[in-house]
Amino acid sequence: MIVNRVENIDKDLLGRVVSTEEEAYNLYNNYATRVGFSVRRGQKRYNTKKVLRQFSYLCSKEGFRLDSDPSELSKVSKLETRTGCEASIRFAFQDQDDTWKVSHFVPEHNHELAKPEERQFLR
């Protein structure tokens, strides 16, 4: 099941350019709030000189929870919140002008998005 947005929102962030990592996070976080999902930080990639080259942000429902150790079973089980959603954005460093450019963008979600009246409660 793929859930698409109903509202007219910046569908395509691919190719957008920002100058800092914080600006990139704010761009995707603002987009996520308008669409109706929460964001979490993803993987960072460095070159051989330990300089940051790529970083990504993901839908908070990306992936699945790791199986817990059966010997450490708790009395209360937590609600499963991960759905394996693949919505994400990746920024790559552009050497020629020292900026970050969106190199990969997946806007589709496999879960229900927050309604406009619920968006204020997103992380």
Short mmCIF file of all heavy atoms in Angstrom, two decimals, residues 51-117:
data_model
loop_
_atom_site.label_atom_id
_atom_site.label_comp_id
_atom_site.label_asym_id
_atom_site.label_seq_id
_atom_site.Cartn_x
_atom_site.Cartn_y
_atom_site.Cartn_z
N VAL A 51 35.73 13.52 6.12
CA VAL A 51 34.93 14.71 5.83
C VAL A 51 33.54 14.23 5.40
O VAL A 51 33.42 13.33 4.56
CB VAL A 51 35.58 15.55 4.70
CG1 VAL A 51 34.70 16.71 4.32
CG2 VAL A 51 36.95 16.02 5.13
N LEU A 52 32.51 14.82 5.97
CA LEU A 52 31.13 14.44 5.67
C LEU A 52 30.82 14.67 4.19
O LEU A 52 31.04 15.76 3.67
CB LEU A 52 30.16 15.24 6.54
CG LEU A 52 28.68 14.90 6.42
CD1 LEU A 52 28.41 13.46 6.85
CD2 LEU A 52 27.87 15.85 7.28
N ARG A 53 30.31 13.64 3.49
CA ARG A 53 29.99 13.74 2.07
C ARG A 53 28.50 13.59 1.80
O ARG A 53 27.99 14.15 0.84
CB ARG A 53 30.74 12.67 1.26
CG ARG A 53 32.24 12.72 1.42
CD ARG A 53 32.82 14.05 1.07
NE ARG A 53 32.65 14.34 -0.34
CZ ARG A 53 32.91 15.48 -0.92
NH1 ARG A 53 33.38 16.49 -0.22
NH2 ARG A 53 32.72 15.67 -2.20
N GLN A 54 27.80 12.78 2.60
CA GLN A 54 26.37 12.55 2.41
C GLN A 54 25.70 12.35 3.75
O GLN A 54 26.31 11.83 4.69
CB GLN A 54 26.13 11.26 1.62
CG GLN A 54 26.31 11.34 0.16
CD GLN A 54 25.90 10.02 -0.51
OE1 GLN A 54 25.69 9.00 0.14
NE2 GLN A 54 25.81 10.05 -1.82
N PHE A 55 24.44 12.73 3.84
CA PHE A 55 23.63 12.40 5.01
C PHE A 55 22.19 12.28 4.57
O PHE A 55 21.81 12.77 3.49
CB PHE A 55 23.80 13.43 6.13
CG PHE A 55 23.44 14.84 5.75
CD1 PHE A 55 22.15 15.30 5.87
CD2 PHE A 55 24.42 15.69 5.27
CE1 PHE A 55 21.83 16.60 5.52
CE2 PHE A 55 24.11 16.99 4.92
CZ PHE A 55 22.81 17.45 5.04
N SER A 56 21.41 11.59 5.37
CA SER A 56 20.02 11.38 4.98
C SER A 56 19.08 11.55 6.17
O SER A 56 19.50 11.47 7.33
CB SER A 56 19.84 9.97 4.38
OG SER A 56 20.20 8.99 5.33
N TYR A 57 17.83 11.79 5.85
CA TYR A 57 16.75 11.86 6.82
C TYR A 57 15.66 10.91 6.36
O TYR A 57 15.43 10.74 5.16
CB TYR A 57 16.20 13.28 6.94
CG TYR A 57 17.24 14.26 7.42
CD1 TYR A 57 17.79 15.19 6.57
CD2 TYR A 57 17.71 14.22 8.73
CE1 TYR A 57 18.76 16.07 7.00
CE2 TYR A 57 18.68 15.09 9.17
CZ TYR A 57 19.20 16.02 8.30
OH TYR A 57 20.18 16.87 8.73
N LEU A 58 14.98 10.28 7.32
CA LEU A 58 14.02 9.23 7.01
C LEU A 58 12.69 9.52 7.68
O LEU A 58 12.62 10.26 8.66
CB LEU A 58 14.54 7.90 7.55
CG LEU A 58 16.00 7.57 7.33
CD1 LEU A 58 16.43 6.45 8.25
CD2 LEU A 58 16.23 7.21 5.89
N CYS A 59 11.66 8.87 7.17
CA CYS A 59 10.37 8.87 7.86
C CYS A 59 10.59 8.13 9.18
O CYS A 59 11.34 7.15 9.24
CB CYS A 59 9.33 8.15 7.02
SG CYS A 59 7.74 7.93 7.84
N SER A 60 9.96 8.57 10.25
CA SER A 60 10.18 7.94 11.56
C SER A 60 9.66 6.51 11.60
O SER A 60 10.00 5.76 12.51
CB SER A 60 9.51 8.76 12.66
OG SER A 60 8.12 8.82 12.43
N LYS A 61 8.88 6.10 10.62
CA LYS A 61 8.37 4.72 10.58
C LYS A 61 9.20 3.83 9.66
O LYS A 61 8.79 2.72 9.32
CB LYS A 61 6.91 4.72 10.16
CG LYS A 61 6.03 5.39 11.20
CD LYS A 61 4.58 5.16 10.92
CE LYS A 61 3.76 5.76 12.04
NZ LYS A 61 2.45 5.15 12.14
N GLU A 62 10.38 4.29 9.26
CA GLU A 62 11.26 3.51 8.41
C GLU A 62 11.80 2.31 9.18
O GLU A 62 12.07 2.39 10.37
CB GLU A 62 12.44 4.39 7.94
CG GLU A 62 13.37 3.72 6.97
CD GLU A 62 14.50 2.96 7.63
OE1 GLU A 62 14.82 3.21 8.79
OE2 GLU A 62 15.05 2.07 6.97
N GLY A 63 11.96 1.18 8.49
CA GLY A 63 12.55 -0.01 9.11
C GLY A 63 11.59 -0.73 10.04
O GLY A 63 10.39 -0.46 10.06
N PHE A 64 12.16 -1.67 10.78
CA PHE A 64 11.39 -2.45 11.73
C PHE A 64 12.17 -2.54 13.03
O PHE A 64 13.39 -2.44 13.04
CB PHE A 64 11.12 -3.86 11.20
CG PHE A 64 10.23 -3.87 9.99
CD1 PHE A 64 10.78 -3.94 8.72
CD2 PHE A 64 8.86 -3.79 10.12
CE1 PHE A 64 9.97 -3.94 7.60
CE2 PHE A 64 8.04 -3.79 9.00
CZ PHE A 64 8.60 -3.87 7.74
N ARG A 65 11.47 -2.75 14.13
CA ARG A 65 12.11 -2.89 15.43
C ARG A 65 12.90 -4.19 15.46
O ARG A 65 12.47 -5.21 14.92
CB ARG A 65 11.05 -2.90 16.52
CG ARG A 65 11.65 -2.88 17.90
CD ARG A 65 10.67 -2.91 19.04
NE ARG A 65 9.32 -2.58 18.71
CZ ARG A 65 8.30 -2.82 19.50
NH1 ARG A 65 8.48 -3.41 20.66
NH2 ARG A 65 7.08 -2.49 19.16
N LEU A 66 14.06 -4.16 16.11
CA LEU A 66 14.86 -5.37 16.27
C LEU A 66 14.15 -6.31 17.24
O LEU A 66 13.51 -5.88 18.19
CB LEU A 66 16.25 -5.03 16.81
CG LEU A 66 17.13 -4.18 15.91
CD1 LEU A 66 18.42 -3.82 16.64
CD2 LEU A 66 17.44 -4.92 14.62
N ASP A 67 14.28 -7.61 16.98
CA ASP A 67 13.69 -8.59 17.90
C ASP A 67 14.40 -8.51 19.24
O ASP A 67 15.63 -8.43 19.31
CB ASP A 67 13.82 -10.00 17.34
CG ASP A 67 12.94 -10.21 16.11
OD1 ASP A 67 11.92 -9.50 16.01
OD2 ASP A 67 13.28 -11.06 15.27
N SER A 68 13.63 -8.54 20.30
CA SER A 68 14.22 -8.46 21.63
C SER A 68 14.72 -9.83 22.07
O SER A 68 14.32 -10.87 21.54
CB SER A 68 13.21 -7.90 22.62
OG SER A 68 12.09 -8.77 22.67
N ASP A 69 15.55 -9.83 23.07
CA ASP A 69 16.10 -11.05 23.64
C ASP A 69 14.99 -11.75 24.40
O ASP A 69 14.40 -11.17 25.33
CB ASP A 69 17.27 -10.69 24.55
CG ASP A 69 17.98 -11.92 25.08
OD1 ASP A 69 17.61 -13.04 24.67
OD2 ASP A 69 18.91 -11.75 25.89
N PRO A 70 14.67 -13.01 24.07
CA PRO A 70 13.55 -13.69 24.75
C PRO A 70 13.78 -13.86 26.25
O PRO A 70 12.84 -13.99 27.01
CB PRO A 70 13.46 -15.04 24.06
CG PRO A 70 14.49 -15.07 23.01
CD PRO A 70 15.26 -13.80 23.02
N SER A 71 15.04 -13.85 26.69
CA SER A 71 15.31 -14.01 28.12
C SER A 71 14.99 -12.73 28.89
O SER A 71 14.92 -12.74 30.11
CB SER A 71 16.77 -14.40 28.35
OG SER A 71 17.61 -13.36 27.92
N GLU A 72 14.80 -11.63 28.17
CA GLU A 72 14.52 -10.35 28.81
C GLU A 72 13.10 -9.87 28.50
O GLU A 72 12.88 -8.69 28.24
CB GLU A 72 15.52 -9.30 28.35
CG GLU A 72 16.94 -9.61 28.73
CD GLU A 72 17.92 -8.58 28.21
OE1 GLU A 72 17.47 -7.51 27.75
OE2 GLU A 72 19.12 -8.84 28.26
N LEU A 73 12.16 -10.78 28.52
CA LEU A 73 10.77 -10.41 28.24
C LEU A 73 10.24 -9.52 29.35
O LEU A 73 10.42 -9.79 30.53
CB LEU A 73 9.90 -11.65 28.11
CG LEU A 73 10.17 -12.53 26.88
CD1 LEU A 73 9.30 -13.77 26.93
CD2 LEU A 73 9.90 -11.74 25.62
N SER A 74 9.56 -8.44 28.92
CA SER A 74 8.98 -7.53 29.91
C SER A 74 7.50 -7.83 30.07
O SER A 74 6.89 -8.49 29.24
CB SER A 74 9.19 -6.09 29.49
OG SER A 74 8.51 -5.85 28.28
N LYS A 75 6.94 -7.33 31.14
CA LYS A 75 5.52 -7.56 31.40
C LYS A 75 4.64 -6.77 30.43
O LYS A 75 3.55 -7.16 30.09
CB LYS A 75 5.18 -7.16 32.83
CG LYS A 75 5.84 -8.05 33.85
CD LYS A 75 5.51 -7.60 35.24
CE LYS A 75 6.25 -8.46 36.24
NZ LYS A 75 6.05 -8.03 37.61
N VAL A 76 5.16 -5.62 29.99
CA VAL A 76 4.39 -4.75 29.10
C VAL A 76 5.09 -4.71 27.74
O VAL A 76 6.28 -4.41 27.66
CB VAL A 76 4.30 -3.32 29.67
CG1 VAL A 76 3.52 -2.43 28.75
CG2 VAL A 76 3.69 -3.35 31.05
N SER A 77 4.36 -5.01 26.69
CA SER A 77 4.96 -4.93 25.36
C SER A 77 4.60 -3.57 24.75
O SER A 77 3.48 -3.10 24.87
CB SER A 77 4.48 -6.06 24.47
OG SER A 77 3.08 -5.99 24.31
N LYS A 78 5.58 -2.98 24.10
CA LYS A 78 5.38 -1.67 23.48
C LYS A 78 4.65 -1.82 22.15
O LYS A 78 4.79 -2.83 21.47
CB LYS A 78 6.72 -0.98 23.26
CG LYS A 78 7.42 -0.61 24.53
CD LYS A 78 8.71 0.11 24.23
CE LYS A 78 9.43 0.49 25.49
NZ LYS A 78 10.70 1.16 25.21
N LEU A 79 3.93 -0.80 21.79
CA LEU A 79 3.21 -0.76 20.54
C LEU A 79 4.19 -0.72 19.37
O LEU A 79 5.18 0.00 19.42
CB LEU A 79 2.32 0.48 20.49
CG LEU A 79 1.44 0.67 19.27
CD1 LEU A 79 0.40 -0.45 19.20
CD2 LEU A 79 0.74 2.01 19.34
N GLU A 80 3.94 -1.50 18.34
CA GLU A 80 4.81 -1.51 17.15
C GLU A 80 4.52 -0.27 16.32
O GLU A 80 3.40 -0.05 15.89
CB GLU A 80 4.53 -2.76 16.32
CG GLU A 80 5.40 -2.89 15.09
CD GLU A 80 6.88 -3.01 15.42
OE1 GLU A 80 7.27 -3.93 16.13
OE2 GLU A 80 7.64 -2.14 14.95
N THR A 81 5.53 0.59 16.14
CA THR A 81 5.33 1.84 15.42
C THR A 81 6.01 1.84 14.06
O THR A 81 5.69 2.67 13.22
CB THR A 81 5.89 3.02 16.22
OG1 THR A 81 7.26 2.79 16.49
CG2 THR A 81 5.13 3.20 17.51
N ARG A 82 6.94 0.94 13.82
CA ARG A 82 7.65 0.91 12.54
C ARG A 82 6.87 0.09 11.52
O ARG A 82 6.34 -0.96 11.83
CB ARG A 82 9.04 0.29 12.72
CG ARG A 82 9.93 1.01 13.72
CD ARG A 82 10.64 2.17 13.06
NE ARG A 82 11.53 2.84 13.97
CZ ARG A 82 12.83 2.61 14.06
NH1 ARG A 82 13.39 1.69 13.32
NH2 ARG A 82 13.56 3.29 14.91
N THR A 83 6.82 0.61 10.28
CA THR A 83 6.08 -0.08 9.23
C THR A 83 6.93 -0.41 8.01
O THR A 83 6.42 -0.93 7.03
CB THR A 83 4.90 0.81 8.75
OG1 THR A 83 5.43 1.99 8.15
CG2 THR A 83 3.96 1.15 9.88
N GLY A 84 8.21 -0.09 8.05
CA GLY A 84 9.07 -0.35 6.90
C GLY A 84 8.93 0.71 5.83
O GLY A 84 9.26 0.48 4.67
N CYS A 85 8.46 1.89 6.18
CA CYS A 85 8.28 2.98 5.23
C CYS A 85 9.62 3.36 4.60
O CYS A 85 10.64 3.41 5.28
CB CYS A 85 7.69 4.19 5.95
SG CYS A 85 7.35 5.57 4.84
N GLU A 86 9.62 3.62 3.31
CA GLU A 86 10.86 3.93 2.61
C GLU A 86 10.99 5.40 2.24
O GLU A 86 11.90 5.77 1.51
CB GLU A 86 10.99 3.06 1.37
CG GLU A 86 11.12 1.59 1.72
CD GLU A 86 11.39 0.71 0.53
OE1 GLU A 86 11.61 1.25 -0.57
OE2 GLU A 86 11.38 -0.51 0.71
N ALA A 87 10.11 6.25 2.74
CA ALA A 87 10.20 7.69 2.44
C ALA A 87 11.48 8.24 3.04
O ALA A 87 11.78 8.02 4.22
CB ALA A 87 8.99 8.42 3.01
N SER A 88 12.26 8.95 2.23
CA SER A 88 13.54 9.47 2.71
C SER A 88 14.04 10.57 1.77
O SER A 88 13.51 10.78 0.68
CB SER A 88 14.57 8.35 2.78
OG SER A 88 14.83 7.84 1.49
N ILE A 89 15.10 11.22 2.23
CA ILE A 89 15.78 12.23 1.43
C ILE A 89 17.28 12.11 1.73
O ILE A 89 17.66 11.80 2.86
CB ILE A 89 15.26 13.65 1.73
CG1 ILE A 89 15.75 14.64 0.70
CG2 ILE A 89 15.62 14.08 3.13
CD1 ILE A 89 15.05 15.99 0.77
N ARG A 90 18.10 12.28 0.70
CA ARG A 90 19.55 12.22 0.88
C ARG A 90 20.18 13.47 0.29
O ARG A 90 19.84 13.88 -0.82
CB ARG A 90 20.13 10.99 0.19
CG ARG A 90 21.62 10.83 0.43
CD ARG A 90 22.22 9.63 -0.28
NE ARG A 90 21.42 8.44 -0.12
CZ ARG A 90 21.10 7.63 -1.13
NH1 ARG A 90 21.52 7.87 -2.35
NH2 ARG A 90 20.37 6.57 -0.91
N PHE A 91 21.09 14.06 1.03
CA PHE A 91 21.82 15.24 0.60
C PHE A 91 23.28 14.85 0.33
O PHE A 91 23.88 14.13 1.12
CB PHE A 91 21.79 16.33 1.67
CG PHE A 91 20.44 16.94 1.87
CD1 PHE A 91 19.52 16.38 2.73
CD2 PHE A 91 20.08 18.10 1.18
CE1 PHE A 91 18.27 16.93 2.92
CE2 PHE A 91 18.83 18.66 1.35
CZ PHE A 91 17.93 18.09 2.22
N ALA A 92 23.82 15.35 -0.77
CA ALA A 92 25.22 15.10 -1.12
C ALA A 92 25.95 16.43 -1.23
O ALA A 92 25.39 17.42 -1.69
CB ALA A 92 25.31 14.34 -2.44
N PHE A 93 27.21 16.43 -0.80
CA PHE A 93 28.02 17.65 -0.81
C PHE A 93 28.47 17.96 -2.23
O PHE A 93 28.93 17.09 -2.96
CB PHE A 93 29.23 17.50 0.11
CG PHE A 93 30.00 18.76 0.29
CD1 PHE A 93 29.47 19.82 1.00
CD2 PHE A 93 31.26 18.92 -0.27
CE1 PHE A 93 30.16 21.00 1.17
CE2 PHE A 93 31.97 20.08 -0.10
CZ PHE A 93 31.42 21.13 0.62
N GLN A 94 28.34 19.23 -2.62
CA GLN A 94 28.77 19.69 -3.94
C GLN A 94 30.06 20.48 -3.77
O GLN A 94 30.06 21.57 -3.21
CB GLN A 94 27.69 20.59 -4.57
CG GLN A 94 26.33 19.94 -4.67
CD GLN A 94 26.35 18.73 -5.57
OE1 GLN A 94 26.79 18.81 -6.71
NE2 GLN A 94 25.90 17.60 -5.05
N ASP A 95 31.19 19.93 -4.24
CA ASP A 95 32.50 20.56 -4.07
C ASP A 95 32.61 21.91 -4.76
O ASP A 95 33.23 22.83 -4.22
CB ASP A 95 33.60 19.64 -4.62
CG ASP A 95 33.83 18.45 -3.71
OD1 ASP A 95 33.78 18.63 -2.49
OD2 ASP A 95 34.05 17.35 -4.25
N GLN A 96 32.02 22.05 -5.95
CA GLN A 96 32.23 23.26 -6.73
C GLN A 96 31.71 24.52 -6.06
O GLN A 96 32.27 25.59 -6.22
CB GLN A 96 31.67 23.12 -8.15
CG GLN A 96 30.19 22.84 -8.23
CD GLN A 96 29.85 21.36 -8.20
OE1 GLN A 96 30.63 20.54 -7.76
NE2 GLN A 96 28.66 21.03 -8.66
N ASP A 97 30.63 24.41 -5.27
CA ASP A 97 30.10 25.62 -4.63
C ASP A 97 29.84 25.46 -3.12
O ASP A 97 29.15 26.26 -2.52
CB ASP A 97 28.84 26.11 -5.34
CG ASP A 97 27.79 25.02 -5.50
OD1 ASP A 97 28.01 23.90 -5.00
OD2 ASP A 97 26.75 25.29 -6.10
N ASP A 98 30.39 24.41 -2.51
CA ASP A 98 30.28 24.16 -1.07
C ASP A 98 28.84 24.19 -0.57
O ASP A 98 28.52 24.84 0.43
CB ASP A 98 31.12 25.17 -0.27
CG ASP A 98 32.61 24.95 -0.45
OD1 ASP A 98 32.99 23.84 -0.87
OD2 ASP A 98 33.37 25.87 -0.18
N THR A 99 27.95 23.49 -1.25
CA THR A 99 26.55 23.41 -0.85
C THR A 99 26.14 21.95 -0.76
O THR A 99 26.87 21.06 -1.17
CB THR A 99 25.63 24.12 -1.86
OG1 THR A 99 25.80 23.53 -3.15
CG2 THR A 99 25.91 25.61 -1.92
N TRP A 100 24.95 21.73 -0.23
CA TRP A 100 24.36 20.39 -0.14
C TRP A 100 23.18 20.32 -1.09
O TRP A 100 22.30 21.17 -1.07
CB TRP A 100 23.89 20.12 1.29
CG TRP A 100 25.01 20.08 2.27
CD1 TRP A 100 25.45 21.11 3.04
CD2 TRP A 100 25.84 18.97 2.56
NE1 TRP A 100 26.50 20.70 3.80
CE2 TRP A 100 26.77 19.38 3.53
CE3 TRP A 100 25.90 17.66 2.10
CZ2 TRP A 100 27.73 18.53 4.05
CZ3 TRP A 100 26.86 16.81 2.62
CH2 TRP A 100 27.76 17.25 3.58
N LYS A 101 23.16 19.30 -1.94
CA LYS A 101 22.11 19.15 -2.94
C LYS A 101 21.36 17.84 -2.69
O LYS A 101 21.97 16.83 -2.35
CB LYS A 101 22.72 19.14 -4.34
CG LYS A 101 21.72 19.07 -5.46
CD LYS A 101 22.41 19.17 -6.80
CE LYS A 101 21.39 19.16 -7.92
NZ LYS A 101 22.02 19.23 -9.23
N VAL A 102 20.05 17.87 -2.87
CA VAL A 102 19.24 16.65 -2.71
C VAL A 102 19.58 15.72 -3.88
O VAL A 102 19.36 16.04 -5.03
CB VAL A 102 17.74 16.98 -2.71
CG1 VAL A 102 16.92 15.70 -2.64
CG2 VAL A 102 17.39 17.90 -1.57
N SER A 103 20.14 14.56 -3.53
CA SER A 103 20.54 13.61 -4.57
C SER A 103 19.59 12.43 -4.69
O SER A 103 19.62 11.70 -5.67
CB SER A 103 21.95 13.09 -4.29
OG SER A 103 21.99 12.43 -3.04
N HIS A 104 18.74 12.23 -3.68
CA HIS A 104 17.79 11.12 -3.69
C HIS A 104 16.58 11.53 -2.87
O HIS A 104 16.72 12.05 -1.76
CB HIS A 104 18.47 9.88 -3.07
CG HIS A 104 17.61 8.66 -3.06
ND1 HIS A 104 17.37 7.92 -4.17
CD2 HIS A 104 16.94 8.07 -2.05
CE1 HIS A 104 16.59 6.90 -3.85
NE2 HIS A 104 16.31 6.98 -2.56
N PHE A 105 15.38 11.29 -3.41
CA PHE A 105 14.16 11.68 -2.71
C PHE A 105 13.07 10.66 -2.99
O PHE A 105 12.76 10.38 -4.15
CB PHE A 105 13.72 13.08 -3.16
CG PHE A 105 12.43 13.54 -2.55
CD1 PHE A 105 12.30 13.69 -1.18
CD2 PHE A 105 11.34 13.84 -3.35
CE1 PHE A 105 11.11 14.12 -0.61
CE2 PHE A 105 10.15 14.28 -2.80
CZ PHE A 105 10.04 14.41 -1.43
N VAL A 106 12.51 10.07 -1.95
CA VAL A 106 11.40 9.11 -2.07
C VAL A 106 10.23 9.67 -1.27
O VAL A 106 10.26 9.70 -0.04
CB VAL A 106 11.79 7.72 -1.51
CG1 VAL A 106 10.62 6.76 -1.63
CG2 VAL A 106 13.01 7.19 -2.21
N PRO A 107 9.16 10.15 -1.94
CA PRO A 107 8.05 10.77 -1.22
C PRO A 107 6.93 9.81 -0.79
O PRO A 107 6.07 10.19 -0.02
CB PRO A 107 7.51 11.77 -2.24
CG PRO A 107 7.80 11.15 -3.56
CD PRO A 107 9.09 10.39 -3.37
N GLU A 108 6.93 8.55 -1.26
CA GLU A 108 5.82 7.63 -0.98
C GLU A 108 5.95 7.00 0.40
O GLU A 108 7.01 6.58 0.81
CB GLU A 108 5.76 6.52 -2.03
CG GLU A 108 5.34 6.99 -3.40
CD GLU A 108 6.52 7.52 -4.20
OE1 GLU A 108 7.67 7.18 -3.87
OE2 GLU A 108 6.28 8.28 -5.14
N HIS A 109 4.80 6.90 1.08
CA HIS A 109 4.72 6.29 2.41
C HIS A 109 3.83 5.06 2.31
O HIS A 109 2.92 5.00 1.49
CB HIS A 109 4.10 7.27 3.42
CG HIS A 109 4.94 8.47 3.65
ND1 HIS A 109 5.84 8.54 4.68
CD2 HIS A 109 5.04 9.63 2.98
CE1 HIS A 109 6.45 9.71 4.64
NE2 HIS A 109 5.97 10.39 3.61
N ASN A 110 4.06 4.08 3.19
CA ASN A 110 3.23 2.87 3.20
C ASN A 110 2.34 2.83 4.45
O ASN A 110 1.93 1.78 4.90
CB ASN A 110 4.11 1.62 3.14
CG ASN A 110 4.94 1.43 4.37
OD1 ASN A 110 5.00 2.29 5.22
ND2 ASN A 110 5.60 0.28 4.47
N HIS A 111 2.07 3.98 5.01
CA HIS A 111 1.24 4.07 6.21
C HIS A 111 0.38 5.32 6.10
O HIS A 111 0.60 6.17 5.24
CB HIS A 111 2.11 4.14 7.47
CG HIS A 111 3.11 5.26 7.43
ND1 HIS A 111 2.84 6.52 7.91
CD2 HIS A 111 4.38 5.31 6.94
CE1 HIS A 111 3.90 7.29 7.72
NE2 HIS A 111 4.85 6.59 7.13
N GLU A 112 -0.58 5.42 6.99
CA GLU A 112 -1.47 6.58 6.99
C GLU A 112 -0.73 7.79 7.54
O GLU A 112 0.02 7.69 8.51
CB GLU A 112 -2.68 6.26 7.86
CG GLU A 112 -3.83 7.21 7.65
CD GLU A 112 -5.07 6.73 8.37
OE1 GLU A 112 -5.37 5.53 8.33
OE2 GLU A 112 -5.73 7.59 8.98
N LEU A 113 -0.93 8.94 6.91
CA LEU A 113 -0.29 10.17 7.34
C LEU A 113 -1.19 10.91 8.33
O LEU A 113 -2.40 10.70 8.36
CB LEU A 113 0.00 11.05 6.12
CG LEU A 113 0.92 10.41 5.08
CD1 LEU A 113 0.98 11.25 3.82
CD2 LEU A 113 2.31 10.22 5.64
N ALA A 114 -0.58 11.77 9.12
CA ALA A 114 -1.34 12.53 10.12
C ALA A 114 -2.28 13.52 9.44
O ALA A 114 -1.93 14.14 8.45
CB ALA A 114 -0.38 13.28 11.04
N LYS A 115 -3.46 13.65 10.00
CA LYS A 115 -4.44 14.61 9.49
C LYS A 115 -4.01 16.01 9.90
O LYS A 115 -3.24 16.17 10.85
CB LYS A 115 -5.82 14.29 10.07
CG LYS A 115 -6.32 12.93 9.65
CD LYS A 115 -7.61 12.61 10.37
CE LYS A 115 -8.02 11.19 10.01
NZ LYS A 115 -8.59 10.48 11.12
N PRO A 116 -4.49 17.05 9.20
CA PRO A 116 -4.09 18.42 9.54
C PRO A 116 -4.30 18.77 11.01
O PRO A 116 -3.46 19.46 11.60
CB PRO A 116 -4.96 19.28 8.63
CG PRO A 116 -5.24 18.41 7.46
CD PRO A 116 -5.34 17.02 8.00
N GLU A 117 -5.35 18.30 11.62
CA GLU A 117 -5.59 18.63 13.03
C GLU A 117 -4.68 17.84 13.98
O GLU A 117 -4.58 18.18 15.16
CB GLU A 117 -7.06 18.43 13.41
CG GLU A 117 -7.58 17.03 13.24
CD GLU A 117 -8.14 16.72 11.85
OE1 GLU A 117 -8.00 17.54 10.94
OE2 GLU A 117 -8.73 15.63 11.69
#
